[in-house]
Amino acid sequence: MSQMKKAMIVAETLHNLAMQIEELVCGLENVQPEVEVGEAEDVVESTISLEEVRAVLADKNRDGHREKVKAIIEKYGANKLTELDPKHYSKVLEEVGELI
């Protein structure tokens, strides 16, 4: 096989590969909407329910951490749990979980 024929086969293979990559990228753009980093965190954090947070905080209150729990809630701009913005649920759970 001549060098020119080999070069043409390589060029055709690269062209096909480029077309497949382009199709893949277009497919991914249609399947996965673009989400800002902050928006993605909000989506993840919003999957935690008020009831789940309430249960964990109630356990910590019973364990004698009432004042610390209240301080954590206030740190995120709320006077009581029901006033807490759901986007802070995961951070509150994380901090309350560290209480011993």
Side-chain angles (χ1 to χ4, degrees):
M1 186 180 307
S2 72
Q3 295 290 50
M4 184 57 116
K5 177 104 174 151
K6 288 180 185 178
M8 291 298 292
I9 291 172
V10 169
E12 184 178 341
T13 303
L14 289 174
H15 175 73
N16 289 339
L17 179 60
M19 298 278 290
Q20 290 175 349
I21 290 172
E22 185 177 351
E23 287 176 21
L24 176 64
V25 168
C26 289
L28 290 175
E29 287 176 350
N30 291 332
V31 172
Q32 299 175 351
E34 292 183 22
V35 177
E36 296 290 326
V37 173
E39 291 173 1
E41 290 173 359
D42 289 346
V43 170
V44 170
E45 292 170 354
S46 68
T47 61
I48 301 169
S49 71
L50 174 64
E51 290 75 22
E52 292 171 314
V53 177
R54 180 177 282 132
V56 172
L57 298 186
D59 286 342
K60 288 297 180 176
N61 279 337
R62 283 190 292 271
D63 291 343
H65 299 288
R66 182 175 173 81
E67 294 303 316
K68 292 177 184 175
V69 168
K70 183 155 179 63
I72 291 170
I73 292 171
E74 290 173 348
K75 175 180 174 181
Y76 290 95
N79 291 319
K80 54 186 179 178
L81 179 58
T82 55
E83 295 175 356
L84 186 65
D85 189 333
K87 71 180 181 182
H88 298 301
Y89 286 174
S90 66
K91 290 292 186 181
V92 168
L93 288 178
E94 183 180 315
E95 289 188 35
V96 168
E98 294 172 359
L99 297 176
I100 317 175

